[in-house]
Structures are given as structure tokens and as C-alpha cells.
Amino acid sequence: DLLKVAAAGPLAGFSLGFVLLLLGFILPPSDGLGLVIDPAVFHESFLVGGLAKLILGDALKEGTKLSINPLVLWAWAGLLINAINSIPAGELDGGRIAFAMWGRKISSRISSLAIGLLGISALFNDVAFYWVVLIFFLQRGPISPLSEEITEPENNYISIGVAILLFGLLVCLPYPFPFDPSQLTDFDL
């Protein structure tokens, strides 16, 4: 039951955010101009960068301006909030998912690893610093013992839990490939 409850919020958030992101890429800018951005911003997320390349194609070129529907940024923000909540650490939904799937001992190790990686990321990113502080000081306590921690979740719920953790990772990882193949140099090949 813990897995079902913990996965419900991120599953709903990711589903709605993904649909809105696709709509944002497909719909033209609302006022004819929309938000004018540098396409390099899409390198911040593997999922968003991949979708941008897939849907927008040749319109994406680093150094040129691109007009997009504001729905893209709103949906991306929603996906990012859900991805942060899906970090398998502490009392976040991702921590509860890991606890439900792998048990108390393994989930506490995963939580420590996630906090450590966030700590390293905090050296380069201010947002990661705030999240590591929040998780480490406010949400690192053990999950209260459940009346029954022995039953394994069903396989279909485990696959949903793993998908949520991976989807959160896809939102947070950067998109490493250039949008324009002509920008590849001999060293990149």
C-alpha cells in the first residue's frame, strides 16, 4: 500500500506534465510571438531536450532564437518539481517508493547515496544545495515502522515505481547531444 500511495502523486504529476509539455511543443505561441528563448536551454533536461529535438527538429539550432508556447516552460517546471519529489531519499515520494520496493536497509543506503550525489551537485548548483539541506535536515529520519513490512509489492507496482524513479532521472539529467549535427567537430566523433 505504501508503494501505491507514494507512486500516485508523481504518477499523476508526471502524466499531466508530460501531456502538457507535448501540447506546448505542438501548439503555436499564443500571441504569435510566445516566449523567445535560446534553444540551448533545452540542454538542461534529457527528456525535454529529446522531445524538443524530436518535435521541433531543424528549428533547434544553438545560438539562434526560438519562439515557443509558454506552456512548454510551465509543464517543464511541473515535471521538475515532480522529479525532485521523486528523488529516492528521505521522506520524499521517491524515498517512500524505494522503501516499499527494496526495504528499509537498501532504501536507507540509496537515500544516503542520493543525498551524497546531491551534496556533490550542490558544489555546482544552488538549487541542489537547498534540496540537500531540506532532505538532510528535515526529511532524513527513518520512515515510521509499518504494521507489515514483509509482503513484497506486486510486479506491476514495482515496474511503476521504477518507471517513476527513471522518469525523474530523465527530467534532471542534461541533454548531451548537439541539436544541429553540423556542429559536431572531429573531436566529438
Side-chain angles (χ1 to χ4, degrees), residues 6-20 78-79 82 160 164:
L11 185 62
F14 280 139
S15 300
L16 182 61
F18 188 73
V19 168
L20 291 176
L79 287 172
N82 276 288
I160 290 172
I164 288 170

Side-chain angles (χ1 to χ4, degrees), residues 12 18 22 73 77 172 182:
F18 188 73
L22 289 175
L73 294 181
C172 292
S182 67

